[in-house]
Amino acid sequence: MKVIEKIFENIRDLPTLPTVYLALSEVMADPRSTAQDISQIVLSDPASSSRVLRLANSVLYGFSGQIDTISRAVVVLGFDEVRNLVLATSVMDLFSKQDSAFDFRPVDFWAHSIGVGIATRLIGQACRLSKVENLFVAGILHDIGKLVFFEFAEKEFTRALDQANKCQQPLWESELEILGMDHSQGGRLLVENWNLPPAIQKAICGHHAGLIGEPPDPLVAAVHIADTLVRALELGFGGDDLIPRPNEQAWEVLGLPPNTLTEMTPQILQQFGEATKIMGLH
Amino acid sequence: MGLLLQLNELKAVEPGLILAEPVLNQFGQTLLPRGVELQPRHLKVLKTWGCKTVQVKEEGFPEKEAEVSPEVLDRALARVNWRLKWEPTTNLEKEFFQLAVKRVIQKFLKP
């Protein structure tokens, strides 16, 4: 049975979105909802609310110690940002496997994902993208397909990791050869199943190429550049050691001046140190 | 914690200076949050509000090439070249290459 068939057959067993995220989406769909309604739902999940508060007060947002309650976080950061922070901070609890396959360790995988989330957010802010609330979560979820493979096609995924390592090949190429699809497609299956916004689906699907559709989507370009940068900076580990060639056209879509990434790097390193600590990845 | 810089001694902001602590005005409002990389335009804001000092982070990439021995540089270049299966030719590609080398050097020099 092909891997894609195996995943489709088990689609009902794919991890479901955190209940707290679903409840937030439902409440936010109602225009009469208040900040109080949103805070109550976040507070119903103590692990999420604690992580959201710590991140809101970290260097990521710069409100050092000023956001002392979830309701204040909702007011200051906005409904969408808080909901996406809940998703970003709870998604890593959805996948049960904590063991490693070759060099692939979930803890390093999540560190890489957080690095890409932070870099995407800073890049997106630098080029003043709209829908800023999608930036962090799109970066965090960009490689989620690897975990789908790890859960549902571990044998084949392990072979792909082995081949990528031995042949010094990008992991996505080994996945295509062995699994018949790569993790950008695997990830899209999952987030489609979750009904996440199309912008996030596109970013996951296009993060290797950096460009998808016409006109090109700056969020896709931002995740591509962020992923390449985080690999160059060796933050976490995504399954292969290579630094992919950045897509110049994707860079042009962002319209950022030269040296932006160099100037941004100290901030990325600082935010990465703090965020991985908050998420318990140190 | 960080390095305390006197604003009146700071004629120009060097790239890479990151605020270790937020800068507040006399009313306790945040002028610049922690983690911001200081830019020349920030100096004007800080001086307008009468700020005397700022706390900046001490860590960062080694700025001076003299701090890096040729052996460390060679090892860093070898490692990055091994991970890069393409030749950096454009300015963007060269920037990625330089960042990767600096980062490896930083890791090698970390106690």
Side-chain angles (χ1 to χ4, degrees), chain A residues 57-59 61-66 168 225 228-229 231-235 241-248 251 258-267 269-271 274, chain B residues 15-16 18-22 24 28 30 33-37 39 57 61 79-80 82-93 95-96 99-100 102-104 106-107:
Chain A
N57 285 300
S58 73
V59 284
Y61 293 92
F63 296 105
S64 175
Q66 294 173 55
Q168 271 238 288
I225 295 293
T228 311
L229 179 61
R231 281 167 169 271
L233 297 175
E234 299 189 19
L235 303 178
D241 228 356
L242 300 177
I243 304 170
R245 186 173 224 143
N247 183 331
E248 295 281 338
W251 176 248
N259 273 332
T260 301
L261 299 176
T262 304
E263 285 165 14
M264 196 179 271
T265 293
Q267 245 180 308
L269 295 178
Q270 194 195 12
Q271 294 192 4
E274 198 160 327
Chain B
I18 305 275
L19 280 183
E21 296 298 330
L24 309 178
T30 306
R34 191 155 52 108
V36 155
E37 183 172 353
Q39 305 290 337
K57 279 183 73 72
F61 282 144
R79 177 151 150 186
V80 173
W82 186 80
R83 300 179 60 219
L84 214 70
K85 297 290 158 210
W86 41 277
E87 190 71 32
T89 51
T90 67
N91 287 340
L92 179 69
E93 290 169 359
E95 188 177 356
F96 272 98
L99 281 169
K102 278 186 176 182
R103 177 66 175 158
V104 174
Q106 189 190 37
K107 283 190 161 185

Side-chain angles (χ1 to χ4, degrees), chain B:
Chain B
M1 290 301 287
L3 191 67
L4 195 65
L5 280 187
Q6 299 285 339
L7 273 182
N8 54 7
E9 290 173 1
L10 213 61
K11 291 195 175 71
V13 171
E14 293 170 30
L17 285 181
I18 305 275
L19 280 183
E21 296 298 330
V23 181
L24 309 178
N25 64 14
Q26 66 265 45
F27 308 112
Q29 294 162 318
T30 306
L31 296 178
L32 292 172
R34 191 155 52 108
V36 155
E37 183 172 353
L38 284 177
Q39 305 290 337
R41 64 190 152 88
H42 294 142
L43 266 188
K44 201 176 164 188
V45 175
L46 297 172
K47 285 180 178 168
T48 308
W49 281 94
C51 300
K52 300 275 189 286
T53 57
V54 287
Q55 290 265 3
V56 295
K57 279 183 73 72
E58 288 178 274
E59 59 188 288
F61 282 144
E63 291 297 332
K64 294 172 192 159
E65 285 192 12
E67 291 172 19
V68 182
S69 69
E71 292 78 24
V72 170
L73 186 61
D74 283 350
R75 276 170 59 208
L77 288 171
R79 177 151 150 186
V80 173
N81 279 323
W82 186 80
R83 300 179 60 219
L84 214 70
K85 297 290 158 210
W86 41 277
E87 190 71 32
T89 51
T90 67
N91 287 340
L92 179 69
E93 290 169 359
K94 285 177 189 164
E95 188 177 356
F96 272 98
F97 180 77
Q98 282 161 8
L99 281 169
V101 172
K102 278 186 176 182
R103 177 66 175 158
V104 174
I105 290 172
Q106 189 190 37
K107 283 190 161 185
F108 283 162
L109 296 180
K110 210 173 178 182

Side-chain angles (χ1 to χ4, degrees), chain A residues 92-93 95-100 105-107 110 150-151:
Chain A
M92 64 180 67
D93 299 330
F95 292 86
S96 53
K97 284 189 183 172
Q98 294 300 317
D99 49 344
S100 313
R105 298 194 314 146
V107 64
W110 285 117
F150 195 37
E151 290 266 339

